[in-house]
Amino acid sequence: MPAPRPLLSLTLATLLALPACTTQAPGPAPSRPTTGRGTATKAPTQAASKAPTLPATGLTRRIETGILRDLSGKVKLVSDAGGSLISDAGGALISDAGGAVISPESGRILSNNSGSMLGKTKFYGLRQQGRLKEDLLADAVVEVLDAAGRVLVDQDGQPLTATSDAEGRYQLKATLPDENVVLRVRLNPKLAGDDGELRALVANKGAGGPAAVDLDTSASLAAAYVLGEYVKQQQTVLDRLPARENTLLRKEVEEARALLPAEVPAYRPDRMAAALAKLRTQAKPLDDTLERIKAILLVGQANLGQGLQATQVPLALPVAVARDAAGNTYVAESVAGRIRKITPDGAVSVLAGDDLTGSVRDGIAAADATFEAISDLAAEPDGGLLVVERSAHRLVRLTAQGKVQVVAGTGSAGQAGEGGPATQAGLAGPTGVALGADGTIYLTEEAVNKSFSPRLLAIGKDGVLRRLATGPDGGFSGVTATADGAVWVATTGLKGKVLRLAASASEPVPVGPTLNLGFNARLLPAPGGGVYLTESGGDRVLRLAADGTAAKLTGPGEPGDNRDEGLVFQSLEAEAAMLRRPYGLAALPDGRLLVVDSGHMLVRVLDPAKPEAPLAAFAGAVGMQAAGAAQAIAVNAPAGLTMAADGKRLVFAEAGGSVVKQLANGQVTVLAGGRTAAWTDGGPALAAGLVGPAAVAYDKAGNLWIAESSNPRILKVTPDGAMFHMAGTGKSPDMSGQALTFDPAGQPAREVQLGRPTALAIGPDDRPYWVDQGFNVVCRLTAANQVEAVVGKTPATYGAGSDAGDDGPAGDARLNFPTGLAFDQAGALYVTDSLNFKLRTVDLKAQPPTIRTIGGLGLGGTLLALATGTEPPASGLPLAGQPLIAPAGLYRDAKNRLYLVEGGTVRLTSLINGLGTSQIPAGLPLVPARIRRIDLSAPGLPVTTIAGPGGRVLTETRGDQVLGLPLGLAVDADGRLIIADALNNQIKLVPNAALD
C-alpha cells in the first residue's frame, strides 16, 4: 500500500524557466563599456538578454541629447510638450543649490513639489579635493531603469546607458515604455568617490507639457524609497503610483523631509538606506502610505509571521520538533524545507530554509541554507541542531553560531564509505536522528529503492560512520537512545515493529506487538525505561515499556488497529480532539510531550500523566474558522480559488484550516466548514466538518462546488447555504484498507471511492469536472449523478501513473499526478500532467474525445534540459518546445488566456520522494516557482512569464516576495491575478498593470 500522502500534495510545486522580456524599441542606444556597464560608443560586456527591452507601441517620451555641465548649478532634465525629455545647454542633470523635483498637475514627474532639500547646501560630494564641478561631470554614466532596477535595453539588446564626455555631454536616443522608469546618474567614482549617484522617478501617466526634474537629494530620496526600499523587484508598486498613491507619496515626502538630518545624506546606497530606515521610524504617515502602495498581500501574514506568538502562525506540513537546553523549540516544515525557532516566551522566527535558491555547504549562514526536505531534528547540548535532509541524503548541523556544517552524506543517494569519514560516506533516504549520552549520533534510513538496504547507522565523535544493523525491506523511521545505552528503532509500514539494540548486543530484537507505524513514526525515551512513540499510521501516541507492553496515551482504538474512519469524520469536534498523522516528539521539562500533529499542521501538548486531558496547541494557528478584516486573518494552506459571478468576491479553500472562506470588501467570512456540529446531507454548510478542501468553483446557477482531498468527496453548496454530498464515499483510500481501484461505471456517485480530488472546474455543460491525483484520472459528475472518467483508462489502480495516449481517445490515455484543470472559451479541456511534465488538452466535441500534448518536453526531455543547463526560452515565444517542469495549477481568464503554475524544482524532489517514486533525481538546479500565461487565441500560443523568475513580480527568493507553493489562481473583474501560496500561507494580488 502506498504511503499516506501529505495534505499539501494536493498539487505539485516544481519547475524551471527564466525567460527575459521581449518587447522592442525602435532605435539603438549607442554605448561603450565603463566600469562594466554599456555606455555611449561600444557594445556592453554584460548579457543584454537578461534585461527588459522596450515596447514597439505606446510610445510617449524620448530622451535625446543632454549636457551634464552647468556652472550655475541649476542642472535640469526638461520635458517638452511633445513628450520628449531633453536636457539642453541651459540645464543639466546636477543641482547643488535650490534645485527641486518639479511636477505639473498632471503628475507626470514624481516630486515633492516644494523645492530642494538641499536649500543653500552645496551638493554633497561635488566639491572634493579642490576639483571643479565640471570635472566631476566627465565620464558620468546615465542609465534608464525599469521598476525592477534593471537597465532597459533597446531592440538590439543594448543597454539604455550613455557616458558623458570631458565636457559633460552625452547622447541617449531611445523611446521609453509607457510605464514608470527611473533615471539614474552615476558620477565618475574616481572623481566623486562612492557618493556620486542620483536618481529620479518618472511616472507613466499624464499629458505632455513642460516640466523639469532636478536630480537632488529630494528626488533621490523619493526614488530610493520606492525603488530601493519598497519595490524589491515589484513592478506592482510603481504601476500603482501615478494615481492617488502618487499624490499621497509626494505629500508625505514633503512633510517628512523636515525630519531629515541637518546634513544631507550621501547618495551611496548603504547611507541612503540607513537614512530611509531612520526616517521610517520618524515619519509614520509616509511609512503607511508606502505600505498601502505595496498592497500585494491580500490575506495572510507578512514576513511568515516573524515575531508573532507560536499559536498565531500557521505551520506548513510540520514533521519534526526538538528542544534545546535553553528552552527554545525548533519545528521543521517538511516540504517547505523551513525550520522555525520558538523562544521560551513563544515568539516565532525563521531559523533556516527561507532562501529558495540557497545551498547547503560548510560555513554558510543558516539563514542562507536551502533544504530540499526535512525529516527529523535533534538538539545538541552545545546549542547545535542536527537536521536530517531525506531527499538530499544528508545530515547537517546548524551550529550555535548560526553556521551550516555537513555531518554526513555527499548529497546524493549512496552507501559507500562505511568505516570512513561520515562526510564522505553515502546515505540513502535518511529518516530519523538521535543523540546518545556519549555524543554518538544515530541515524536511520528508509528503503529508497531495491539498490540500497536500509540501515541503522552510528557516527562517533571521530566522525567515522559505521553500520549497526540492516533493516527490513521497508526500512527504518524513528530512532532514539535511552540512558542504559540501548538504541531503539521503528520500522515502517502498517505492520511495523519497534526494535531494541542493547549496548552490548550485535543485533536489534523486536519489542512489543505489531503496530500501525506508518512511515514517519518517531521515538523518545520515557522515564523509568522504555520509549514513547508516535503510531503515525494509527493516529496514536503510545508508551512502550522495556518488557514490550504497549499502552495508548491518545488516539482511536487500540495499538496496532487500523483507524476507524467513521470516528474521525463524524464531526469537526471529534476531528480536532484527535491527532492526525502524529510525527515528531520532544519532551518538556515538566514531563509533558510535544507532538507534531502533521494532519492538523500543529504542534500539540500531551500530558502522559493525564492522557484524557484535551490536547493543547503549542504552535501552529488554531481557530481557523475565524473571520474579520483580511489583514488580521491568518490562513492555513490556502488552495483552490474562484471568483463569484460579480468578479468581486473571492472564494478560497483553506486546506489546512478545513474551511471555505470568502473575501469581499476587505472582510473574510466563512462559507462552509469550521464548526463543531455533526453535519447531515442538505444541512447548513456552516455546520459541516470539512477535511482538507482543495478546490472550489461556481456553476451558472450560483452553486458552489467543493472538492475535498483528505476526505475525498465532491460537495455542492446552494445559494441559500445548504450543502449536499454529491460524489465520493468520504473515506480515504490511503487508510481504508479496501481494494485500491477506481471503476465508477454503473455506481451511484456517492458510492464511488475517490482517490484525491485536487482541482475543480465547471465545464461547458455546466457540470463539475475534477482531477483525481490518487487514481490519475479526470472525472465528471453527470446529470444522472454518476461519476464518469473523462481522461484516463479505468479500472485504475491507486498511485499507478504513466504516460501514454497522445493523439488517441482520452479514455485510453494515461496521466501521472494530474494537478490543474481549466476550459477555454471553445469548451476544450486543459490538464496539467505534472509528473509527465506536460500540458495536455482534450477535444470533448470529438467522438470519442481525443487528447494531445500542446506543451512540455516530457520527463526525459525536461530532465535533459535541466541537466545540461539549457537556457529557458524568453517570454513571447510559442508554447511548443518550451520545457514545463511538472506544471501545476491552471486558470482561464475572460480574455481566453490560460494562467499556468510551475512550482519550481526547489520543492520538486521532496514532493516526488514523498510519493514513493525515484523517477526524479536529486540535485536538480534550484529554481523557484513561477506563473506563466498562455494566449490561447493567438497563433502559436505565445507564453509570457507573469510572476517568479523571468517575470516582473514576486521574483525574490526569500520572505514575502516569494512564490513558495502556488496552488490556486483566479482573475478578478478588474483583470488582476490572485494567487494562493500554500507554503507561505498567503493570498497575493498581482495588479493588471503588471500583467499587460
Side-chain angles (χ1 to χ4, degrees), residues 627-630 662-669:
Q662 174 180 277
L663 170 64
N665 299 319
Q667 296 292 310
V668 175
T669 55

Side-chain angles (χ1 to χ4, degrees), residues 35-416:
T35 62
R37 294 182 175 274
T39 55
T41 62
K42 193 174 181 180
T45 57
Q46 60 185 10
S49 62
K50 297 297 184 182
T53 55
L54 299 178
T57 60
L59 309 178
T60 59
R61 298 180 298 279
R62 298 192 69 181
I63 295 179
E64 293 184 345
T65 60
I67 183 169
L68 296 177
R69 181 183 181 190
D70 186 284
L71 297 180
S72 67
K74 294 182 179 179
V75 186
K76 294 179 173 65
L77 174 67
V78 180
S79 173
D80 66 10
S84 295
L85 298 178
I86 302 173
S87 175
D88 60 16
L93 296 178
I94 304 296
S95 173
D96 68 347
V101 183
I102 302 172
S103 171
E105 291 183 358
S106 67
R108 182 168 190 169
I109 306 299
L110 180 64
S111 163
N112 66 4
N113 221 19
S114 67
S116 171
M117 290 185 181
L118 292 175
K120 300 300 182 181
T121 306
K122 297 291 186 181
F123 178 92
Y124 190 87
L126 279 185
R127 293 187 181 275
Q128 295 181 11
Q129 302 176 355
R131 292 182 179 276
L132 295 176
K133 178 168 43 186
E134 53 268 32
D135 295 333
L136 300 178
L137 303 181
D139 291 325
V141 178
V142 182
E143 300 171 304
V144 182
L145 294 78
D146 72 354
R150 300 169 296 191
V151 178
L152 294 173
V153 299
D154 62 20
Q155 63 184 4
D156 296 325
Q158 303 302 312
L160 286 181
T161 66
T163 300
S164 62
D165 61 18
E167 296 182 350
R169 299 180 182 276
Y170 69 93
Q171 185 179 47
L172 182 62
K173 292 184 178 180
T175 302
L176 300 181
D178 188 16
E179 65 182 41
N180 293 292
V181 297
V182 172
L183 191 70
R184 178 169 63 185
V185 178
R186 297 175 183 269
L187 301 180
N188 188 332
K190 294 181 180 179
L191 301 175
D194 295 330
D195 298 329
E197 177 178 315
L198 305 100
R199 290 181 286 185
L201 183 63
V202 183
N204 69 343
K205 300 294 183 183
V213 178
D214 291 339
L215 293 173
D216 61 1
T217 305
S218 179
S220 286
L221 177 66
Y225 248 117
V226 181
L227 179 65
E229 292 297 301
Y230 286 89
V231 174
K232 303 295 187 185
Q233 299 186 20
Q234 299 298 314
Q235 178 70 41
T236 318
V237 180
L238 289 179
D239 284 340
R240 298 172 69 170
L241 276 179
R244 180 175 63 90
E245 293 86 351
N246 197 344
T247 302
L248 284 172
L249 185 57
R250 289 201 305 270
K251 175 178 178 292
E252 301 299 350
V253 168
E254 160 61 15
E255 294 178 356
R257 70 190 184 97
L259 301 174
L260 284 174
E263 181 180 337
V264 176
Y267 286 98
R268 276 179 47 181
D270 57 341
R271 297 185 186 178
M272 183 64 74
L276 294 175
K278 183 176 181 180
L279 186 59
R280 284 192 60 178
T281 65
Q282 297 174 302
K284 188 64 165 59
L286 177 56
D287 192 46
D288 291 343
T289 298
L290 289 164
E291 287 302 319
R292 285 195 295 271
I293 290 172
K294 189 175 180 181
I296 293 173
L297 185 62
L298 282 178
V299 186
Q301 293 174 318
N303 301 317
L304 298 174
Q306 296 258 50
L308 296 178
Q309 288 294 295
T311 52
Q312 297 175 318
V313 179
L315 299 174
L317 282 179
V319 66
V321 62
R323 295 263 302 178
D324 67 15
N328 299 302
T329 302
Y330 303 91
V331 180
E333 297 170 290
S334 176
V335 176
R338 195 160 48 214
I339 300 175
R340 302 211 188 230
K341 179 180 178 180
I342 304 170
T343 57
D345 62 359
V348 176
S349 62
V350 176
L351 176 67
D354 190 26
D355 186 355
L356 295 182
T357 56
S359 60
V360 173
R361 63 183 188 276
D362 285 336
I364 67 170
D368 296 330
T370 296
F371 298 115
E372 294 187 24
I374 301 172
S375 176
D376 202 6
L377 301 174
E380 297 181 298
D382 63 356
L385 185 69
L386 296 173
V387 183
V388 178
E389 284 193 277
R390 180 181 299 188
S391 298
H393 311 286
R394 189 164 46 200
L395 177 65
V396 175
R397 173 182 290 116
L398 303 182
T399 69
Q401 293 74 37
K403 300 296 184 179
V404 170
Q405 180 183 8
V406 177
V407 177
T410 59
S412 59
Q415 293 186 329

Side-chain angles (χ1 to χ4, degrees), residues 703-934:
N703 297 304
L704 177 65
W705 292 82
I706 303 171
E708 278 189 281
S709 180
S710 297
N711 182 14
R713 56 182 176 173
I714 306 298
L715 304 166
K716 180 177 73 172
V717 180
T718 58
D720 61 0
M723 179 181 284
F724 295 88
H725 178 189
M726 303 302 294
T729 63
K731 292 187 176 182
S732 171
D734 286 345
M735 301 292 186
S736 65
Q738 63 188 28
L740 301 179
T741 58
F742 175 76
D743 189 7
Q747 297 185 63
R750 290 169 54 163
E751 297 179 10
V752 175
Q753 175 65 62
L754 302 181
R756 192 170 55 252
T758 57
L760 181 67
I762 303 301
D765 54 1
D766 205 31
R767 303 301 304 170
Y769 292 68
W770 65 90
V771 297
D772 190 320
Q773 286 181 345
F775 291 112
N776 292 295
V777 293
V778 177
C779 300
R780 178 178 80 112
L781 181 62
T782 69
N785 285 325
Q786 291 190 325
V787 175
E788 176 186 8
V790 177
V791 183
K793 189 174 182 61
T794 57
T797 302
Y798 191 85
S802 62
D803 182 8
D806 270 340
D807 302 314
D812 292 336
R814 297 290 192 275
L815 304 174
N816 197 359
F817 208 69
T819 305
L821 191 68
F823 291 89
D824 67 12
Q825 290 178 339
L829 172 66
Y830 295 83
V831 183
T832 48
D833 194 356
S834 296
L835 293 192
N836 285 327
F837 303 100
K838 293 180 177 180
L839 174 62
R840 304 175 82 172
T841 185
V842 180
D843 183 357
L844 296 174
K845 297 178 181 178
Q847 294 298 325
T850 56
I851 188 170
R852 63 189 178 95
T853 294
I854 61 170
L857 304 180
L859 174 62
T862 303
L863 294 180
L864 179 62
L866 284 173
T868 57
T870 301
E871 191 73 13
S875 292
L877 296 182
L879 175 64
Q882 296 205 34
L884 299 176
I885 308 172
L890 286 176
Y891 188 90
R892 194 263 300 168
D893 68 11
K895 296 181 180 179
N896 205 32
R897 301 179 301 186
L898 196 65
Y899 291 84
L900 180 148
V901 169
E902 291 182 295
T905 58
V906 175
R907 308 300 182 202
L908 177 60
T909 304
S910 58
L911 284 167
I912 301 310
N913 286 3
L915 296 171
T917 176
S918 58
Q919 287 183 310
I920 310 303
L924 293 176
L926 295 178
V927 181
R930 64 178 182 167
I931 295 174
R932 313 192 77 191
R933 188 180 65 205
I934 304 167

